[in-house]
Amino acid sequence: MMRQYELVELVRSYDPGADEDCLNRAYVFSMQAHGGQKRANGDPYFSHPVEVAGILAGMKLDGDSIVTGLLHDTIEDTVATLDEIDRLFGPKIGRLVDGVTKLSRLELQSDHSQQAENFRKLFLAMSEDIRVLLVKLADRLHNMRTLAPVPSVEKRRHVARETMEIYAPLAERIGMQRLKDELEDLAFAELNPEAHGSIVARLDFLRAEGGDLVAGIEAELHGTLEKAGVSGEVSGREKRPYSIWRKMERKNVPFEQLGDVVAFRIVVDDVPACYQALGVVHGAYPMVPGHFKDYISTPKLNGYQSLHTVVYGPRQQRTEIQIRTGGMHDYAEFGVAAHWVYKQGDGSADPHEGRQYRWVRELLDILEHAAGPEEFLEHTKLEMFQDQVFCFTPRGDLIALPSGATSVDFAYAVHSQVGDTCVGTKINGRLQPLRTQLRNGDQVEIVTAKGHTPSPTWESFVVTGRARSRIRRYVRSQQREQYVGLGRSILEQTFVQHGFALDAATAEKAARALNVKGVDGLYAALGEGNVTALAALEAGHPEIKRRDAGGTVVPLARRRAKPDGYAVPIRGLIAGMAVHYADCCNPLPGERIVGIVTTGKGVTIHTIDCDLLQTFEETPERWVDVAWDAETLDRDVHVGRMSVIVANRPGALGAMTTVIAKHSGNISNLKITNRSSQFFEFMVDVEVRDVKHLTGIIAALRADPSVSAVERARD
Ligand code: MN
């Protein structure tokens, strides 16, 4: 295990500005927090965070990352809390440790193999700071290195599979080739020990038999380059067991026929030298067609750059050669980490300028330089995940949604039936409003009720097309039903008022004459206000048409119904669909009301004394007698508006709201319309059951000493 001073010295060797004191405190804190905990192999648990910090230091990461490595398991596995970390190490470190903790919790959620791609995206999306992901990867690397003593085979295989499917591809995506290789090989050894064992044995054998074969090829390549005036380092490197295995599988050939198990690398000073070296190699040895790749002019998505070629090289061996500069080489090994170290050294940016944002920016930079259709596709996917949020069902299934999505979107994503019947949601075990926006990693449980239907109000907050189209379809069908019902009532009323009974045959006749589709079509048109009731009456009974002297048809004047006459009940009509309450007079149950048919919008309800009604004096055919219906009263919220004047002194406003609350009124809106040194004048909207409820509140307010005047407001 690395000692405290060794770690600090290592970090200081490449980052002289690192906070030594903070590193020391983190080391001690972690040691004390983990106390007597032990790992599977009997080592003190504390050795794990120290090794993780060591891996991060090996990647030359900044001091904050190392501190995070030391503390990464303290919140999840010890009594330490995030508050404590914040207090002792500052909110910056707190955020990083919290980020790693969240990723660790995700691991526990479920078996991820079904949706590996989504999990990779989730991890990337949740690692708002790329250092969070790097610490998590180092954590996983050390866990893989120490996997063998874990007693449960099942657990080992699970961890190995997860490494193969989630972590190795993540490491690759951010360009950390060396980390990816090691993760893959460790996982491979666990998942397929026989294949791994035979490849390792075979490599050992070749190494023993070939003796100085690799050294010989290295020397010859080096000589060939030198003769041509190109200076560079040549090194041979055995391929990793897992990449050999993959190649055997892909090409379906046994190990013996694989040929090139050693790859050679030529590292030169600059880009022109890369192409020069390539020319020399191709000039000296025949090239194997179909293997040349230029990742310098077209870097890989993760930023990797190199020239790849295969030649029949020294001793007629098929020889794989990679040519790159020193910078490209470091980058190939350490990915974003190397990128950061390089940038840090050039002095162009203020080292204190939001380091964590720079990381992300640079990652995005790299992604932007992607080229080629495949990489472009990858890139687009990456852009997409930033706008996504990933949540779990109680069973652990992952649901990917656009960011801003709510529980209703989630419910519809699970199943349209679940969406249609959802009535509530538990997010991470707590009941929340359906409109609550979901966050990455949330566990969402949808509460459904049989026979429940979508609410039209959901449309204002859902973000997925699927949810929206289902809700719209439902609302449209509901609306049509409501228009049909409303239209029938309006027509019945008109017929009765003119001494007729409405029968199916007459309605049919009227529909035909007015050129609408069927009786229901006629009712819907009436309800929606596209056909007037008088026009329908005249179409059904053409004999009542009167003509003036010039022969022009004069429409029947509308007889106003007697006060106790036949009125259309607002039965089963949901406010906001076929019926709207006018906000000029805010009619309340218990008040006399009248409906005005508005073309394309159905009926708007006004109080009988509303000033606005004058506007409709000239169009009597738009008036409908309506009445409150008991059934609607329970369901709808009605808004009563008051103008209240209270004394401008402490507690007066509080007294006013207390009175309203005591009388079960819910204030939905409150606006100061006037203020002076002595008085406040408010416009107050309260949700009430009916007019009696509102009058009760007004009376109670008048009795309160801090209220000077209160009036029901109509504007
Ligand atoms: Mn750990």
Side-chain angles (χ1 to χ4, degrees):
M1 183 169 73
M2 207 180 243
R3 311 255 178 143
Q4 186 170 350
Y5 72 88
E6 288 173 328
L7 179 67
V8 174
E9 256 169 37
L10 176 57
V11 176
R12 302 262 302 172
S13 72
Y14 62 83
D15 185 4
D19 184 345
E20 199 172 325
D21 171 56
C22 186
L23 281 166
N24 282 319
R25 282 188 294 117
Y27 193 98
V28 172
F29 182 87
S30 177
M31 181 165 60
Q32 286 168 349
H34 288 293
Q37 292 174 348
K38 292 258 191 287
R39 303 204 86 214
N41 62 0
D43 282 354
Y45 191 94
F46 173 58
S47 64
H48 166 65
V50 172
E51 292 302 329
V52 170
I55 291 169
L56 294 165
M59 298 189 235
K60 294 191 167 57
L61 294 195
D62 67 323
D64 287 356
S65 305
I66 312 300
V67 169
T68 306
L70 286 168
L71 301 175
H72 81 271
D73 275 333
T74 53
I75 296 182
E76 192 67 358
D77 294 344
T78 78
V79 293
T81 63
L82 178 57
D83 281 349
E84 215 171 340
I85 304 277
D86 274 345
R87 205 174 59 243
L88 293 171
F89 300 97
K92 253 184 359 195
I93 298 287
R95 209 163 39 235
L96 292 172
V97 175
D98 186 43
V100 181
T101 305
K102 280 186 180 137
L103 292 188
S104 301
R105 282 181 190 152
L106 266 187
E107 285 172 350
L108 305 172
Q109 293 266 13
S110 64
D111 186 359
H112 306 145
S113 53
Q114 298 296 312
Q115 294 169 297
E117 175 59 23
N118 271 337
F119 264 95
R120 292 196 291 267
K121 287 188 197 163
L122 171 60
F123 266 66
L124 278 168
M126 280 187 72
S127 315
E128 280 155 20
D129 187 316
I130 196 82
R131 288 175 297 182
V132 167
L133 184 60
L134 292 169
V135 173
K136 192 63 213 164
L137 287 171
D139 174 43
R140 178 50 64 118
L141 178 60
H142 186 248
N143 285 335
M144 286 304 294
R145 282 178 182 170
T146 51
L147 189 62
V150 172
S152 151
V153 184
E154 217 163 274
K155 183 161 184 222
R156 287 204 311 268
R157 293 184 66 85
H158 177 80
V159 171
R161 219 178 316 118
E162 205 176 59
T163 300
M164 200 63 114
E165 285 158 357
I166 314 282
Y167 291 94
L170 277 174
E172 182 176 33
R173 193 169 283 188
I174 57 173
M176 312 208 55
Q177 190 63 33
R178 197 189 269 191
L179 191 77
K180 176 214 160 206
D181 285 345
E182 192 178 347
L183 285 172
E184 273 181 354
D185 280 325
L186 290 165
F188 175 48
E190 179 60 45
L191 294 172
N192 199 341
E194 289 103 62
H196 182 263
S198 77
I199 289 173
V200 170
R202 187 73 198 159
L203 286 172
D204 287 347
F205 173 76
L206 282 182
R207 216 177 294 124
E209 198 178 52
D212 55 354
L213 181 71
V214 171
I217 295 176
E218 276 175 7
E220 191 178 328
L221 277 174
H222 195 264
T224 308
L225 287 170
E226 211 159 50
K227 242 182 279 163
V230 180
S231 68
E233 276 172 44
V234 181
S235 60
R237 183 188 55 110
E238 238 172 44
K239 288 189 180 167
R240 310 286 304 194
Y242 182 65
S243 82
I244 292 173
W245 169 250
R246 279 249 303 256
K247 201 163 183 181
M248 285 164 65
E249 289 222 302
R250 202 169 56 235
K251 303 201 164 165
N252 199 16
V253 294
F255 188 93
E256 288 69 23
Q257 288 174 30
L258 218 51
D260 42 352
V261 293
V262 178
F264 290 85
R265 184 176 298 138
I266 301 171
V267 177
V268 295
D269 289 339
D270 50 27
V271 173
C274 289
Y275 290 98
Q276 230 180 320
L278 177 74
V280 172
V281 169
H282 280 181
Y285 311 103
M287 164 188 173
V288 181
H291 292 273
F292 173 66
K293 292 203 178 81
D294 183 351
Y295 292 120
I296 290 181
S297 68
T298 310
K300 285 192 186 179
L301 166 74
N302 61 18
Y304 174 87
Q305 287 187 297
S306 216
L307 299 174
H308 289 190
T309 189
V310 180
V311 294
Y312 293 107
R315 309 183 195 184
Q316 276 65 60
Q317 290 262 350
R318 250 176 77 111
T319 310
E320 207 180 297
I321 297 174
Q322 298 167 355
I323 305 167
R324 52 176 80 147
T325 66
M328 289 174 192
H329 179 60
D330 282 355
Y331 191 82
E333 302 274 292
F334 297 115
V336 274
H339 196 74
W340 179 69
V341 172
Y342 270 78
K343 275 283 169 68
Q344 194 190 32
D346 71 7
S348 59
D350 175 0
H352 299 293
E353 176 244 338
R355 230 177 232 176
Q356 67 268 41
Y357 299 117
R358 232 166 66 205
W359 273 88
V360 176
R361 249 203 331 270
E362 279 159 15
L363 179 60
L364 294 179
D365 261 7
I366 295 157
L367 301 178
E368 253 157 42
H369 292 126
E374 265 175 51
E375 289 180 358
F376 180 72
L377 205 68
E378 279 290 314
H379 184 188
T380 344
K381 270 201 230 155
L382 275 163
E383 284 212 315
M384 267 170 52
F385 77 69
Q386 295 178 341
D387 304 328
Q388 273 181 293
V389 56
F390 302 86
C391 305
F392 297 93
T393 67
R395 275 184 20 223
D397 293 337
L398 187 72
I399 306 276
L401 295 164
S403 73
T406 63
S407 288
V408 174
D409 293 292
F410 184 92
Y412 276 105
V414 170
H415 196 278
S416 45
Q417 197 58 38
V418 176
D420 283 348
T421 57
C422 79
V423 290
T425 181
K426 277 187 190 166
I427 301 173
N428 303 322
R430 286 178 48 205
L431 271 171
Q432 301 277 349
L434 278 172
R435 61 166 62 234
T436 310
Q437 295 198 348
L438 300 174
R439 289 184 314 191
N440 269 317
D442 278 348
Q443 196 207 60
V444 185
E445 185 184 341
I446 300 294
V447 185
T448 59
K450 227 179 175 175
H452 208 268
T453 54
S455 158
T457 58
W458 293 351
E459 217 194 311
S460 64
F461 59 75
V462 297
V463 301
T464 52
R466 184 169 175 170
R468 179 161 292 137
S469 81
R470 285 289 299 197
I471 297 164
R472 269 204 195 142
R473 197 188 315 160
Y474 175 79
V475 168
R476 260 203 311 273
S477 75
Q478 275 304 97
Q479 209 162 27
R480 161 111 182 157
E481 242 171 66
Q482 304 236 319
Y483 279 142
V484 168
L486 179 65
R488 185 190 298 119
S489 297
I490 290 173
L491 196 58
E492 272 169 5
Q493 181 194 56
T494 308
F495 269 58
V496 168
Q497 283 167 350
H498 289 86
F500 296 103
L502 177 60
D503 58 73
T506 315
E508 195 85 56
K509 185 174 163 193
R512 263 197 313 276
L514 290 168
N515 212 10
V516 285
K517 215 176 156 201
V519 175
D520 275 359
L522 174 66
Y523 293 154
L526 277 161
E528 214 174 330
N530 294 331
V531 167
T532 68
L534 284 173
L537 174 66
E538 286 176 356
H541 293 283
E543 71 277 6
I544 65 173
K545 279 188 185 173
R546 292 179 302 135
R547 287 165 192 279
D548 66 10
T552 315
V553 178
V554 178
L556 285 169
R558 190 180 179 288
R559 268 182 280 150
R560 297 298 301 272
K562 294 188 287 289
D564 56 348
Y566 182 76
V568 177
I570 319 178
R571 184 192 302 276
L573 299 175
I574 297 168
M577 276 191 172
V579 160
H580 308 265
Y581 297 112
D583 51 14
C584 42
C585 50
N586 293 306
L588 291 174
E591 289 186 289
R592 297 265 343 263
I593 47 176
V594 67
I596 296 293
V597 179
T598 313
T599 312
K601 277 189 155 177
V603 171
T604 307
I605 310 291
H606 294 264
T607 57
I608 200 84
D609 55 354
C610 178
D611 290 342
L612 209 79
L613 288 175
Q614 285 175 4
T615 328
F616 306 107
E617 285 294 333
E618 301 303 307
T619 49
E621 69 278 5
R622 294 178 62 183
W623 294 58
V624 190
D625 286 317
V626 290
W628 296 102
D629 180 82
E631 196 190 315
T632 17
L633 299 188
D634 310 331
R635 196 176 46 214
D636 285 352
V637 169
H638 300 274
V639 174
R641 180 168 290 177
M642 303 178 291
S643 154
V644 186
I645 299 174
V646 298
N648 186 357
R649 63 161 187 261
L653 182 57
M656 176 187 86
T657 54
T658 307
V659 170
I660 294 172
K662 247 193 204 153
H663 289 78
S664 322
N666 181 36
I667 297 178
S668 64
N669 193 12
L670 190 145
K671 196 166 80 187
I672 298 178
T673 48
N674 232 323
R675 80 193 287 179
S676 69
S677 56
Q678 267 131 39
F679 295 105
F680 276 122
E681 193 176 331
F682 293 102
M683 172 94 90
V684 185
D685 286 345
V686 272
E687 290 171 358
V688 290
R689 287 185 305 278
D690 51 26
V691 70
K692 248 168 76 189
H693 188 186
L694 182 67
T695 354
I697 291 174
I698 290 174
L701 283 172
R702 284 189 177 136
D704 192 279
S706 28
V707 176
S708 313
V710 52
E711 210 69 59
R712 176 151 183 216
R714 297 255 160 86
D715 54 13

mmCIF file of all heavy atoms in Angstrom, residues 620-641:
data_model
loop_
_atom_site.group_PDB
_atom_site.id
_atom_site.type_symbol
_atom_site.label_atom_id
_atom_site.label_comp_id
_atom_site.label_asym_id
_atom_site.label_seq_id
_atom_site.Cartn_x
_atom_site.Cartn_y
_atom_site.Cartn_z
ATOM 1 N N PRO A 620 -78.541 37.310 -30.803
ATOM 2 C CA PRO A 620 -79.300 36.484 -29.836
ATOM 3 C C PRO A 620 -79.147 34.990 -30.103
ATOM 4 O O PRO A 620 -79.301 34.193 -29.200
ATOM 5 C CB PRO A 620 -80.741 36.944 -30.035
ATOM 6 C CG PRO A 620 -80.777 37.579 -31.381
ATOM 7 C CD PRO A 620 -79.429 38.167 -31.616
ATOM 8 N N GLU A 621 -78.825 34.633 -31.349
ATOM 9 C CA GLU A 621 -78.732 33.196 -31.637
ATOM 10 C C GLU A 621 -77.560 32.543 -30.919
ATOM 11 O O GLU A 621 -77.472 31.330 -30.842
ATOM 12 C CB GLU A 621 -78.653 32.956 -33.160
ATOM 13 C CG GLU A 621 -77.365 33.397 -33.843
ATOM 14 C CD GLU A 621 -77.342 34.902 -34.175
ATOM 15 O OE1 GLU A 621 -78.294 35.620 -33.783
ATOM 16 O OE2 GLU A 621 -76.364 35.349 -34.795
ATOM 17 N N ARG A 622 -76.666 33.367 -30.375
ATOM 18 C CA ARG A 622 -75.514 32.781 -29.676
ATOM 19 C C ARG A 622 -75.787 32.532 -28.194
ATOM 20 O O ARG A 622 -74.977 31.943 -27.513
ATOM 21 C CB ARG A 622 -74.303 33.705 -29.823
ATOM 22 C CG ARG A 622 -73.822 33.808 -31.276
ATOM 23 C CD ARG A 622 -72.666 34.756 -31.422
ATOM 24 N NE ARG A 622 -71.501 34.313 -30.672
ATOM 25 C CZ ARG A 622 -70.383 34.999 -30.590
ATOM 26 N NH1 ARG A 622 -70.273 36.159 -31.215
ATOM 27 N NH2 ARG A 622 -69.375 34.547 -29.887
ATOM 28 N N TRP A 623 -76.934 33.018 -27.726
ATOM 29 C CA TRP A 623 -77.233 32.865 -26.297
ATOM 30 C C TRP A 623 -77.794 31.481 -26.000
ATOM 31 O O TRP A 623 -78.617 30.974 -26.739
ATOM 32 C CB TRP A 623 -78.245 33.923 -25.838
ATOM 33 C CG TRP A 623 -77.714 35.333 -25.891
ATOM 34 C CD1 TRP A 623 -77.235 35.979 -26.975
ATOM 35 C CD2 TRP A 623 -77.620 36.236 -24.796
ATOM 36 N NE1 TRP A 623 -76.831 37.248 -26.641
ATOM 37 C CE2 TRP A 623 -77.064 37.438 -25.300
ATOM 38 C CE3 TRP A 623 -77.958 36.158 -23.449
ATOM 39 C CZ2 TRP A 623 -76.830 38.536 -24.491
ATOM 40 C CZ3 TRP A 623 -77.743 37.264 -22.646
ATOM 41 C CH2 TRP A 623 -77.172 38.438 -23.173
ATOM 42 N N VAL A 624 -77.340 30.899 -24.913
ATOM 43 C CA VAL A 624 -77.894 29.621 -24.464
ATOM 44 C C VAL A 624 -78.226 29.740 -22.989
ATOM 45 O O VAL A 624 -77.410 30.243 -22.211
ATOM 46 C CB VAL A 624 -76.877 28.463 -24.618
ATOM 47 C CG1 VAL A 624 -77.569 27.131 -24.368
ATOM 48 C CG2 VAL A 624 -76.197 28.484 -25.963
ATOM 49 N N ASP A 625 -79.424 29.277 -22.628
ATOM 50 C CA ASP A 625 -79.743 29.233 -21.204
ATOM 51 C C ASP A 625 -79.072 28.019 -20.599
ATOM 52 O O ASP A 625 -79.239 26.904 -21.075
ATOM 53 C CB ASP A 625 -81.264 29.158 -20.999
ATOM 54 C CG ASP A 625 -81.905 30.502 -21.293
ATOM 55 O OD1 ASP A 625 -81.335 31.521 -20.857
ATOM 56 O OD2 ASP A 625 -82.942 30.529 -21.987
ATOM 57 N N VAL A 626 -78.293 28.272 -19.568
ATOM 58 C CA VAL A 626 -77.591 27.166 -18.916
ATOM 59 C C VAL A 626 -77.880 27.197 -17.421
ATOM 60 O O VAL A 626 -78.285 28.220 -16.881
ATOM 61 C CB VAL A 626 -76.066 27.242 -19.147
ATOM 62 C CG1 VAL A 626 -75.707 26.944 -20.582
ATOM 63 C CG2 VAL A 626 -75.523 28.596 -18.734
ATOM 64 N N ALA A 627 -77.680 26.066 -16.796
ATOM 65 C CA ALA A 627 -77.881 25.982 -15.350
ATOM 66 C C ALA A 627 -76.766 25.148 -14.743
ATOM 67 O O ALA A 627 -76.191 24.292 -15.402
ATOM 68 C CB ALA A 627 -79.239 25.355 -15.048
ATOM 69 N N TRP A 628 -76.462 25.430 -13.491
ATOM 70 C CA TRP A 628 -75.443 24.640 -12.786
ATOM 71 C C TRP A 628 -75.948 23.242 -12.574
ATOM 72 O O TRP A 628 -77.129 23.016 -12.390
ATOM 73 C CB TRP A 628 -75.106 25.273 -11.437
ATOM 74 C CG TRP A 628 -74.499 26.619 -11.572
ATOM 75 C CD1 TRP A 628 -75.115 27.806 -11.384
ATOM 76 C CD2 TRP A 628 -73.162 26.899 -11.939
ATOM 77 N NE1 TRP A 628 -74.242 28.830 -11.614
ATOM 78 C CE2 TRP A 628 -73.029 28.308 -11.959
ATOM 79 C CE3 TRP A 628 -72.050 26.125 -12.265
ATOM 80 C CZ2 TRP A 628 -71.840 28.951 -12.280
ATOM 81 C CZ3 TRP A 628 -70.869 26.757 -12.585
ATOM 82 C CH2 TRP A 628 -70.768 28.151 -12.596
ATOM 83 N N ASP A 629 -75.072 22.336 -12.576
ATOM 84 C CA ASP A 629 -75.445 20.960 -12.346
ATOM 85 C C ASP A 629 -74.653 20.427 -11.165
ATOM 86 O O ASP A 629 -73.440 20.603 -11.080
ATOM 87 C CB ASP A 629 -75.130 20.127 -13.591
ATOM 88 C CG ASP A 629 -75.506 18.689 -13.379
ATOM 89 O OD1 ASP A 629 -76.693 18.379 -13.538
ATOM 90 O OD2 ASP A 629 -74.611 17.886 -13.046
ATOM 91 N N ALA A 630 -75.375 19.776 -10.258
ATOM 92 C CA ALA A 630 -74.764 19.339 -9.001
ATOM 93 C C ALA A 630 -73.506 18.498 -9.237
ATOM 94 O O ALA A 630 -72.520 18.609 -8.519
ATOM 95 C CB ALA A 630 -75.771 18.545 -8.187
ATOM 96 N N GLU A 631 -73.557 17.692 -10.269
ATOM 97 C CA GLU A 631 -72.455 16.758 -10.492
ATOM 98 C C GLU A 631 -71.137 17.476 -10.774
ATOM 99 O O GLU A 631 -70.075 17.062 -10.342
ATOM 100 C CB GLU A 631 -72.815 15.868 -11.677
ATOM 101 C CG GLU A 631 -71.979 14.623 -11.796
ATOM 102 C CD GLU A 631 -72.245 13.930 -13.118
ATOM 103 O OE1 GLU A 631 -73.441 13.796 -13.481
ATOM 104 O OE2 GLU A 631 -71.285 13.567 -13.789
ATOM 105 N N THR A 632 -71.213 18.580 -11.521
ATOM 106 C CA THR A 632 -69.994 19.298 -11.876
ATOM 107 C C THR A 632 -69.412 20.036 -10.683
ATOM 108 O O THR A 632 -68.220 20.316 -10.652
ATOM 109 C CB THR A 632 -70.268 20.372 -12.958
ATOM 110 O OG1 THR A 632 -71.649 20.609 -13.013
ATOM 111 C CG2 THR A 632 -69.696 19.965 -14.275
ATOM 112 N N LEU A 633 -70.286 20.375 -9.744
ATOM 113 C CA LEU A 633 -69.843 21.252 -8.667
ATOM 114 C C LEU A 633 -68.710 20.661 -7.855
ATOM 115 O O LEU A 633 -67.797 21.352 -7.451
ATOM 116 C CB LEU A 633 -71.025 21.585 -7.749
ATOM 117 C CG LEU A 633 -72.150 22.320 -8.457
ATOM 118 C CD1 LEU A 633 -73.192 22.789 -7.459
ATOM 119 C CD2 LEU A 633 -71.620 23.512 -9.258
ATOM 120 N N ASP A 634 -68.766 19.365 -7.616
ATOM 121 C CA ASP A 634 -67.734 18.751 -6.792
ATOM 122 C C ASP A 634 -66.399 18.732 -7.511
ATOM 123 O O ASP A 634 -65.346 18.756 -6.900
ATOM 124 C CB ASP A 634 -68.106 17.298 -6.462
ATOM 125 C CG ASP A 634 -69.514 17.225 -5.924
ATOM 126 O OD1 ASP A 634 -69.938 18.227 -5.324
ATOM 127 O OD2 ASP A 634 -70.167 16.187 -6.128
ATOM 128 N N ARG A 635 -66.463 18.653 -8.810
ATOM 129 C CA ARG A 635 -65.252 18.371 -9.549
ATOM 130 C C ARG A 635 -64.466 19.631 -9.887
ATOM 131 O O ARG A 635 -63.256 19.656 -9.842
ATOM 132 C CB ARG A 635 -65.612 17.635 -10.828
ATOM 133 C CG ARG A 635 -64.422 16.972 -11.471
ATOM 134 C CD ARG A 635 -64.860 16.191 -12.679
ATOM 135 N NE ARG A 635 -65.759 16.977 -13.505
ATOM 136 C CZ ARG A 635 -66.769 16.455 -14.204
ATOM 137 N NH1 ARG A 635 -67.011 15.180 -14.162
ATOM 138 N NH2 ARG A 635 -67.539 17.234 -14.945
ATOM 139 N N ASP A 636 -65.170 20.661 -10.270
ATOM 140 C CA ASP A 636 -64.468 21.830 -10.768
ATOM 141 C C ASP A 636 -64.044 22.765 -9.649
ATOM 142 O O ASP A 636 -64.686 22.857 -8.620
ATOM 143 C CB ASP A 636 -65.367 22.613 -11.729
ATOM 144 C CG ASP A 636 -65.472 21.903 -13.058
ATOM 145 O OD1 ASP A 636 -64.726 20.919 -13.248
ATOM 146 O OD2 ASP A 636 -66.301 22.320 -13.872
ATOM 147 N N VAL A 637 -62.949 23.433 -9.917
ATOM 148 C CA VAL A 637 -62.517 24.486 -9.010
ATOM 149 C C VAL A 637 -63.023 25.797 -9.597
ATOM 150 O O VAL A 637 -62.886 26.043 -10.789
ATOM 151 C CB VAL A 637 -60.983 24.518 -8.914
ATOM 152 C CG1 VAL A 637 -60.529 25.758 -8.190
ATOM 153 C CG2 VAL A 637 -60.488 23.267 -8.223
ATOM 154 N N HIS A 638 -63.658 26.601 -8.778
ATOM 155 C CA HIS A 638 -64.169 27.876 -9.265
ATOM 156 C C HIS A 638 -63.406 28.998 -8.607
ATOM 157 O O HIS A 638 -63.089 28.932 -7.425
ATOM 158 C CB HIS A 638 -65.662 27.997 -8.957
ATOM 159 C CG HIS A 638 -66.463 26.914 -9.607
ATOM 160 N ND1 HIS A 638 -66.938 27.012 -10.886
ATOM 161 C CD2 HIS A 638 -66.819 25.693 -9.161
ATOM 162 C CE1 HIS A 638 -67.577 25.899 -11.194
ATOM 163 N NE2 HIS A 638 -67.516 25.077 -10.164
ATOM 164 N N VAL A 639 -63.119 29.993 -9.392
ATOM 165 C CA VAL A 639 -62.316 31.083 -8.860
ATOM 166 C C VAL A 639 -63.196 32.305 -8.624
ATOM 167 O O VAL A 639 -63.895 32.760 -9.527
ATOM 168 C CB VAL A 639 -61.174 31.440 -9.828
ATOM 169 C CG1 VAL A 639 -60.420 32.669 -9.335
ATOM 170 C CG2 VAL A 639 -60.221 30.258 -9.958
ATOM 171 N N GLY A 640 -63.185 32.771 -7.383
ATOM 172 C CA GLY A 640 -63.890 34.003 -7.070
ATOM 173 C C GLY A 640 -62.851 35.103 -6.882
ATOM 174 O O GLY A 640 -61.773 34.858 -6.334
ATOM 175 N N ARG A 641 -63.176 36.308 -7.355
ATOM 176 C CA ARG A 641 -62.200 37.387 -7.260
ATOM 177 C C ARG A 641 -62.706 38.472 -6.320
ATOM 178 O O ARG A 641 -63.876 38.858 -6.397
ATOM 179 C CB ARG A 641 -61.946 37.962 -8.654
ATOM 180 C CG ARG A 641 -60.934 39.095 -8.673
ATOM 181 C CD ARG A 641 -60.502 39.417 -10.080
ATOM 182 N NE ARG A 641 -59.668 38.330 -10.620
ATOM 183 C CZ ARG A 641 -59.201 38.323 -11.875
ATOM 184 N NH1 ARG A 641 -59.494 39.294 -12.709
ATOM 185 N NH2 ARG A 641 -58.447 37.327 -12.290
#
